[in-house]
Amino acid sequence: MRGYVLLIGVAFGWGFNWPLMKIIVSEVSVWEFRALSGIAAGLLLLGLAVAVGGRSGEAWRAPRDQWLPLGLAALFNVTSWFIFIGYGVSMMGAGHAVIMAFTMPLFAAVFGVIYLREAMTRRRLLALSLGAAGIAVLMSHDFAAIGAEPLGFALTLIGAAMWAIGVLIQKHTPWQVGVLALSGWQILLGSMPIVAVWLALGEFSYGRAGAEVWWSSAYLVLVALVFCYFAWFSVVKIFPASISAVGTLLVPIVGVASGVVVLGEPFGLRDLIALTLIVGAVALVLLVPPGEPVAGRRAPGPR
């Protein structure tokens, strides 16, 4: 139940983030935006980890032998995702960018079966099929835009694949730090290369940005990064990769809806059909019939 609640929190937290991210990158460079928000979120998460660890005894310092997997996870979960998706959303509509980005569940589910030996049951296969159909219908809105902005499409798709690899690393590593610390270290480490590039470019535009950009940035740091990364890593720890991945198909629903409300992006019959398919996929994953094994046991990884 805790996993399901966190999964819903991730869906709304990350979904509403997409139109706000579009607002930010319209006035601030991707490198500056990602560098400052990543450092702020990483430090906040580590501060919370130290405070919580002091009361619960949960470790926040990563052992020396875990720095390599921690760095790899940060590279795929944070560095590549931040930059590829940042540029992708700057080149496409927010609602359509979130749909492209969340092809990640398809990569993650397949990778999970191949590398983590998770069972691909008929229920999960049907859920993935429905999710893929919903994403394909939504993508059909942007076929003309894909032709006009092939780089934006390609970068967003690469970001999705990189995040799927990060999910595998996350699942396969027996972490010896708490979830808060794990989230903080990954965001902080993953933001370091971005900070280096930003400083080299010398782009400083937040000082000229409007109030809307500042409020959007505050939401992104506190909700989309601090809360949602903590919740997402908790979900990945609780559920197999395919379940956590398909569950996040809720994010495009919220992303498209918030794009309509916040940015006035169009919503038509095609969007409705696609969202119905995605809701069906999520229902197949979350509503487990009596007698069926609960998707929470970690499948053995490769040795």
Side-chain angles (χ1 to χ4, degrees):
M1 182 57 68
R2 177 173 175 268
Y4 293 146
V5 170
L6 289 173
L7 197 56
I8 292 170
V10 168
F12 281 90
W14 272 344
F16 190 64
N17 173 60
W18 287 81
L20 301 186
M21 189 159 48
K22 182 75 174 179
I23 290 171
I24 296 169
V25 296
S26 67
E27 296 188 38
V28 178
S29 77
V30 172
W31 293 99
E32 180 179 6
F33 150 55
R34 288 306 200 181
L36 294 177
S37 61
I39 293 298
L43 291 175
L44 279 172
L45 280 164
L46 283 177
L48 288 171
V50 173
V52 171
R55 294 194 301 268
S56 65
E58 192 174 75
W60 66 271
R61 294 181 181 176
R64 186 174 299 178
D65 61 348
Q66 291 212 317
W67 281 105
L68 178 58
L70 190 58
L72 288 173
L75 177 65
F76 290 106
N77 279 326
V78 179
T79 310
S80 58
W81 173 260
F82 273 14
I83 295 305
F84 286 128
I85 297 305
Y87 275 108
V89 78
S90 70
M91 298 175 182
M92 306 171 67
H96 296 153
V98 67
I99 294 158
M100 298 295 184
F102 277 83
T103 54
M104 180 281 292
L106 307 181
F107 289 111
V110 173
F111 293 166
V113 170
I114 295 172
Y115 296 107
L116 296 183
R117 303 174 190 173
E118 293 178 352
M120 179 58 76
T121 64
R122 282 182 293 183
R123 169 178 285 271
R124 294 183 192 176
L125 186 59
L126 178 57
L128 282 170
S129 300
L130 286 175
I135 288 174
V137 172
L138 281 169
M139 282 173 59
S140 67
H141 275 295
D142 250 11
F143 282 151
I146 290 169
E149 293 286 358
L151 182 58
F153 169 73
L155 291 176
T156 307
L157 202 60
I158 292 171
M162 295 297 100
W163 187 16
I165 295 173
V167 169
L168 293 184
I169 297 172
Q170 198 76 26
K171 289 292 296 182
H172 182 55
T173 305
W175 301 106
Q176 297 175 39
V177 294
V179 174
L180 277 172
L182 181 61
S183 306
W185 281 121
Q186 285 200 37
I187 293 179
L188 197 60
L189 291 175
S191 298
M192 292 300 180
I194 300 174
V195 171
V197 173
W198 167 56
L199 293 176
L201 293 174
E203 298 174 336
F204 305 97
S205 46
Y206 257 110
R208 300 186 300 274
E212 196 175 33
V213 170
W214 282 93
W215 282 112
S216 298
S217 299
Y219 174 92
L220 184 133
V221 170
L222 297 175
V223 178
L225 292 182
V226 173
F227 168 74
C228 287
Y229 262 84
F230 162 72
W232 170 249
F233 288 151
S234 298
V235 165
V236 170
K237 186 177 180 180
I238 292 169
F239 294 122
S242 53
I243 297 299
S244 55
V246 177
T248 55
L249 284 170
L250 278 168
V251 177
I253 298 176
V254 180
V256 170
S258 57
V260 172
V261 174
V262 177
L263 301 176
E265 293 181 348
F267 182 87
L269 178 61
R270 221 179 318 188
D271 301 87
L272 182 60
I273 294 172
L275 296 185
T276 301
L277 289 169
I278 293 172
V279 168
V282 174
L284 280 172
V285 173
L286 298 182
L287 304 178
V288 181
E292 188 171 318
V294 176
R297 296 173 186 152
R298 177 177 170 176
R303 299 299 179 201

mmCIF file of all heavy atoms in Angstrom, residues 83-112:
data_model
loop_
_atom_site.group_PDB
_atom_site.id
_atom_site.type_symbol
_atom_site.label_atom_id
_atom_site.label_comp_id
_atom_site.label_asym_id
_atom_site.label_seq_id
_atom_site.Cartn_x
_atom_site.Cartn_y
_atom_site.Cartn_z
ATOM 1 N N ILE A 83 19.695 16.379 -18.801
ATOM 2 C CA ILE A 83 20.098 17.127 -19.999
ATOM 3 C C ILE A 83 19.275 16.729 -21.223
ATOM 4 O O ILE A 83 18.745 17.594 -21.934
ATOM 5 C CB ILE A 83 21.599 16.937 -20.271
ATOM 6 C CG1 ILE A 83 22.413 17.550 -19.136
ATOM 7 C CG2 ILE A 83 21.982 17.571 -21.610
ATOM 8 C CD1 ILE A 83 22.111 19.011 -18.846
ATOM 9 N N PHE A 84 19.148 15.434 -21.481
ATOM 10 C CA PHE A 84 18.389 15.010 -22.667
ATOM 11 C C PHE A 84 16.940 15.482 -22.598
ATOM 12 O O PHE A 84 16.386 15.989 -23.577
ATOM 13 C CB PHE A 84 18.443 13.481 -22.812
ATOM 14 C CG PHE A 84 19.767 12.963 -23.286
ATOM 15 C CD1 PHE A 84 20.427 11.953 -22.601
ATOM 16 C CD2 PHE A 84 20.358 13.474 -24.426
ATOM 17 C CE1 PHE A 84 21.651 11.479 -23.036
ATOM 18 C CE2 PHE A 84 21.585 12.998 -24.885
ATOM 19 C CZ PHE A 84 22.235 11.999 -24.177
ATOM 20 N N ILE A 85 16.322 15.319 -21.423
ATOM 21 C CA ILE A 85 14.927 15.717 -21.293
ATOM 22 C C ILE A 85 14.789 17.243 -21.263
ATOM 23 O O ILE A 85 13.830 17.805 -21.791
ATOM 24 C CB ILE A 85 14.308 15.101 -20.026
ATOM 25 C CG1 ILE A 85 14.321 13.571 -20.132
ATOM 26 C CG2 ILE A 85 12.886 15.600 -19.810
ATOM 27 C CD1 ILE A 85 13.638 13.009 -21.371
ATOM 28 N N GLY A 86 15.763 17.927 -20.646
ATOM 29 C CA GLY A 86 15.718 19.383 -20.628
ATOM 30 C C GLY A 86 15.693 19.967 -22.030
ATOM 31 O O GLY A 86 14.897 20.866 -22.334
ATOM 32 N N TYR A 87 16.568 19.459 -22.892
ATOM 33 C CA TYR A 87 16.579 19.946 -24.271
ATOM 34 C C TYR A 87 15.363 19.455 -25.047
ATOM 35 O O TYR A 87 14.820 20.172 -25.900
ATOM 36 C CB TYR A 87 17.865 19.507 -24.976
ATOM 37 C CG TYR A 87 19.008 20.455 -24.725
ATOM 38 C CD1 TYR A 87 20.062 20.098 -23.891
ATOM 39 C CD2 TYR A 87 19.039 21.712 -25.305
ATOM 40 C CE1 TYR A 87 21.116 20.969 -23.638
ATOM 41 C CE2 TYR A 87 20.087 22.597 -25.068
ATOM 42 C CZ TYR A 87 21.120 22.211 -24.234
ATOM 43 O OH TYR A 87 22.148 23.091 -23.991
ATOM 44 N N GLY A 88 14.925 18.219 -24.760
ATOM 45 C CA GLY A 88 13.757 17.687 -25.453
ATOM 46 C C GLY A 88 12.517 18.530 -25.210
ATOM 47 O O GLY A 88 11.798 18.881 -26.157
ATOM 48 N N VAL A 89 12.274 18.893 -23.940
ATOM 49 C CA VAL A 89 11.070 19.661 -23.615
ATOM 50 C C VAL A 89 11.167 21.090 -24.148
ATOM 51 O O VAL A 89 10.139 21.735 -24.396
ATOM 52 C CB VAL A 89 10.815 19.667 -22.089
ATOM 53 C CG1 VAL A 89 11.713 20.654 -21.372
ATOM 54 C CG2 VAL A 89 9.354 19.965 -21.770
ATOM 55 N N SER A 90 12.379 21.585 -24.364
ATOM 56 C CA SER A 90 12.528 22.931 -24.932
ATOM 57 C C SER A 90 12.211 22.948 -26.425
ATOM 58 O O SER A 90 11.948 24.012 -26.992
ATOM 59 C CB SER A 90 13.953 23.454 -24.701
ATOM 60 O OG SER A 90 14.892 22.749 -25.503
ATOM 61 N N MET A 91 12.209 21.772 -27.062
ATOM 62 C CA MET A 91 11.978 21.688 -28.499
ATOM 63 C C MET A 91 10.578 21.191 -28.858
ATOM 64 O O MET A 91 10.199 21.203 -30.034
ATOM 65 C CB MET A 91 13.018 20.750 -29.140
ATOM 66 C CG MET A 91 14.441 21.211 -29.007
ATOM 67 S SD MET A 91 15.607 19.983 -29.662
ATOM 68 C CE MET A 91 17.177 20.775 -29.297
ATOM 69 N N MET A 92 9.819 20.694 -27.856
ATOM 70 C CA MET A 92 8.502 20.126 -28.121
ATOM 71 C C MET A 92 7.504 20.683 -27.129
ATOM 72 O O MET A 92 7.879 21.318 -26.148
ATOM 73 C CB MET A 92 8.551 18.590 -27.989
ATOM 74 C CG MET A 92 9.610 17.916 -28.823
ATOM 75 S SD MET A 92 9.781 16.162 -28.412
ATOM 76 C CE MET A 92 8.205 15.540 -28.971
ATOM 77 N N GLY A 93 6.210 20.413 -27.349
ATOM 78 C CA GLY A 93 5.196 20.761 -26.375
ATOM 79 C C GLY A 93 5.388 19.945 -25.116
ATOM 80 O O GLY A 93 5.850 18.799 -25.167
ATOM 81 N N ALA A 94 5.031 20.502 -23.951
ATOM 82 C CA ALA A 94 5.263 19.802 -22.682
ATOM 83 C C ALA A 94 4.512 18.477 -22.617
ATOM 84 O O ALA A 94 5.046 17.464 -22.172
ATOM 85 C CB ALA A 94 4.831 20.708 -21.521
ATOM 86 N N GLY A 95 3.242 18.476 -23.060
ATOM 87 C CA GLY A 95 2.451 17.251 -23.014
ATOM 88 C C GLY A 95 3.021 16.163 -23.894
ATOM 89 O O GLY A 95 3.057 14.990 -23.524
ATOM 90 N N HIS A 96 3.496 16.541 -25.074
ATOM 91 C CA HIS A 96 4.052 15.557 -25.982
ATOM 92 C C HIS A 96 5.444 15.104 -25.543
ATOM 93 O O HIS A 96 5.819 13.946 -25.743
ATOM 94 C CB HIS A 96 4.084 16.130 -27.396
ATOM 95 C CG HIS A 96 2.723 16.414 -27.933
ATOM 96 N ND1 HIS A 96 2.472 17.371 -28.882
ATOM 97 C CD2 HIS A 96 1.512 15.880 -27.635
ATOM 98 C CE1 HIS A 96 1.170 17.405 -29.155
ATOM 99 N NE2 HIS A 96 0.577 16.510 -28.398
ATOM 100 N N ALA A 97 6.205 15.999 -24.930
ATOM 101 C CA ALA A 97 7.531 15.622 -24.443
ATOM 102 C C ALA A 97 7.433 14.583 -23.337
ATOM 103 O O ALA A 97 8.219 13.630 -23.283
ATOM 104 C CB ALA A 97 8.281 16.856 -23.945
ATOM 105 N N VAL A 98 6.458 14.751 -22.429
ATOM 106 C CA VAL A 98 6.313 13.788 -21.340
ATOM 107 C C VAL A 98 5.924 12.418 -21.884
ATOM 108 O O VAL A 98 6.325 11.371 -21.355
ATOM 109 C CB VAL A 98 5.299 14.285 -20.281
ATOM 110 C CG1 VAL A 98 3.896 14.347 -20.823
ATOM 111 C CG2 VAL A 98 5.327 13.393 -19.041
ATOM 112 N N ILE A 99 5.167 12.387 -22.960
ATOM 113 C CA ILE A 99 4.775 11.103 -23.557
ATOM 114 C C ILE A 99 5.992 10.406 -24.145
ATOM 115 O O ILE A 99 6.197 9.203 -23.962
ATOM 116 C CB ILE A 99 3.707 11.337 -24.641
ATOM 117 C CG1 ILE A 99 2.429 11.866 -24.002
ATOM 118 C CG2 ILE A 99 3.416 10.044 -25.397
ATOM 119 C CD1 ILE A 99 1.533 12.608 -24.956
ATOM 120 N N MET A 100 6.812 11.157 -24.876
ATOM 121 C CA MET A 100 8.034 10.580 -25.435
ATOM 122 C C MET A 100 8.948 10.082 -24.317
ATOM 123 O O MET A 100 9.514 8.996 -24.388
ATOM 124 C CB MET A 100 8.780 11.626 -26.266
ATOM 125 C CG MET A 100 8.023 12.144 -27.462
ATOM 126 S SD MET A 100 7.728 10.852 -28.685
ATOM 127 C CE MET A 100 6.934 11.834 -29.963
ATOM 128 N N ALA A 101 9.089 10.884 -23.270
ATOM 129 C CA ALA A 101 9.996 10.524 -22.177
ATOM 130 C C ALA A 101 9.548 9.257 -21.483
ATOM 131 O O ALA A 101 10.375 8.438 -21.060
ATOM 132 C CB ALA A 101 10.078 11.669 -21.174
ATOM 133 N N PHE A 102 8.240 9.072 -21.372
ATOM 134 C CA PHE A 102 7.749 7.906 -20.649
ATOM 135 C C PHE A 102 7.519 6.695 -21.535
ATOM 136 O O PHE A 102 6.720 5.812 -21.212
ATOM 137 C CB PHE A 102 6.525 8.276 -19.820
ATOM 138 C CG PHE A 102 6.934 8.895 -18.512
ATOM 139 C CD1 PHE A 102 7.250 10.238 -18.450
ATOM 140 C CD2 PHE A 102 7.084 8.129 -17.378
ATOM 141 C CE1 PHE A 102 7.681 10.814 -17.266
ATOM 142 C CE2 PHE A 102 7.519 8.688 -16.188
ATOM 143 C CZ PHE A 102 7.808 10.025 -16.132
ATOM 144 N N THR A 103 8.269 6.641 -22.653
ATOM 145 C CA THR A 103 8.482 5.351 -23.291
ATOM 146 C C THR A 103 9.453 4.541 -22.432
ATOM 147 O O THR A 103 9.673 3.363 -22.671
ATOM 148 C CB THR A 103 9.050 5.514 -24.711
ATOM 149 O OG1 THR A 103 10.228 6.325 -24.648
ATOM 150 C CG2 THR A 103 8.031 6.153 -25.645
ATOM 151 N N MET A 104 10.042 5.201 -21.416
ATOM 152 C CA MET A 104 10.927 4.512 -20.469
ATOM 153 C C MET A 104 10.333 3.221 -19.924
ATOM 154 O O MET A 104 11.050 2.207 -19.828
ATOM 155 C CB MET A 104 11.275 5.450 -19.311
ATOM 156 C CG MET A 104 12.200 4.863 -18.250
ATOM 157 S SD MET A 104 11.430 3.747 -17.040
ATOM 158 C CE MET A 104 10.388 4.870 -16.140
ATOM 159 N N PRO A 105 9.039 3.156 -19.549
ATOM 160 C CA PRO A 105 8.506 1.903 -19.035
ATOM 161 C C PRO A 105 8.672 0.734 -19.995
ATOM 162 O O PRO A 105 8.868 -0.405 -19.561
ATOM 163 C CB PRO A 105 7.021 2.222 -18.811
ATOM 164 C CG PRO A 105 6.999 3.677 -18.549
ATOM 165 C CD PRO A 105 8.059 4.250 -19.435
ATOM 166 N N LEU A 106 8.602 0.996 -21.286
ATOM 167 C CA LEU A 106 8.764 -0.083 -22.254
ATOM 168 C C LEU A 106 10.201 -0.587 -22.251
ATOM 169 O O LEU A 106 10.449 -1.797 -22.281
ATOM 170 C CB LEU A 106 8.360 0.410 -23.645
ATOM 171 C CG LEU A 106 6.966 1.036 -23.733
ATOM 172 C CD1 LEU A 106 6.669 1.469 -25.165
ATOM 173 C CD2 LEU A 106 5.910 0.061 -23.242
ATOM 174 N N PHE A 107 11.170 0.332 -22.210
ATOM 175 C CA PHE A 107 12.575 -0.080 -22.104
ATOM 176 C C PHE A 107 12.810 -0.834 -20.796
ATOM 177 O O PHE A 107 13.435 -1.896 -20.776
ATOM 178 C CB PHE A 107 13.490 1.153 -22.139
ATOM 179 C CG PHE A 107 13.574 1.834 -23.468
ATOM 180 C CD1 PHE A 107 13.020 3.095 -23.641
ATOM 181 C CD2 PHE A 107 14.226 1.246 -24.541
ATOM 182 C CE1 PHE A 107 13.096 3.747 -24.860
ATOM 183 C CE2 PHE A 107 14.308 1.880 -25.760
ATOM 184 C CZ PHE A 107 13.742 3.143 -25.927
ATOM 185 N N ALA A 108 12.325 -0.272 -19.688
ATOM 186 C CA ALA A 108 12.598 -0.849 -18.370
ATOM 187 C C ALA A 108 11.990 -2.225 -18.208
ATOM 188 O O ALA A 108 12.598 -3.127 -17.621
ATOM 189 C CB ALA A 108 12.085 0.088 -17.275
ATOM 190 N N ALA A 109 10.770 -2.416 -18.690
ATOM 191 C CA ALA A 109 10.107 -3.708 -18.550
ATOM 192 C C ALA A 109 10.862 -4.802 -19.324
ATOM 193 O O ALA A 109 11.083 -5.905 -18.821
ATOM 194 C CB ALA A 109 8.668 -3.620 -19.026
ATOM 195 N N VAL A 110 11.274 -4.461 -20.537
ATOM 196 C CA VAL A 110 12.019 -5.433 -21.350
ATOM 197 C C VAL A 110 13.389 -5.709 -20.736
ATOM 198 O O VAL A 110 13.812 -6.868 -20.611
ATOM 199 C CB VAL A 110 12.162 -4.921 -22.795
ATOM 200 C CG1 VAL A 110 13.076 -5.844 -23.604
ATOM 201 C CG2 VAL A 110 10.793 -4.820 -23.460
ATOM 202 N N PHE A 111 14.108 -4.656 -20.329
ATOM 203 C CA PHE A 111 15.404 -4.835 -19.692
ATOM 204 C C PHE A 111 15.273 -5.623 -18.387
ATOM 205 O O PHE A 111 16.141 -6.408 -18.036
ATOM 206 C CB PHE A 111 16.054 -3.476 -19.393
ATOM 207 C CG PHE A 111 16.455 -2.702 -20.625
ATOM 208 C CD1 PHE A 111 16.782 -1.348 -20.531
ATOM 209 C CD2 PHE A 111 16.506 -3.298 -21.874
ATOM 210 C CE1 PHE A 111 17.148 -0.629 -21.654
ATOM 211 C CE2 PHE A 111 16.864 -2.584 -23.005
ATOM 212 C CZ PHE A 111 17.183 -1.243 -22.889
ATOM 213 N N GLY A 112 14.175 -5.379 -17.650
ATOM 214 C CA GLY A 112 13.968 -6.085 -16.397
ATOM 215 C C GLY A 112 13.811 -7.580 -16.606
ATOM 216 O O GLY A 112 14.311 -8.392 -15.825
#
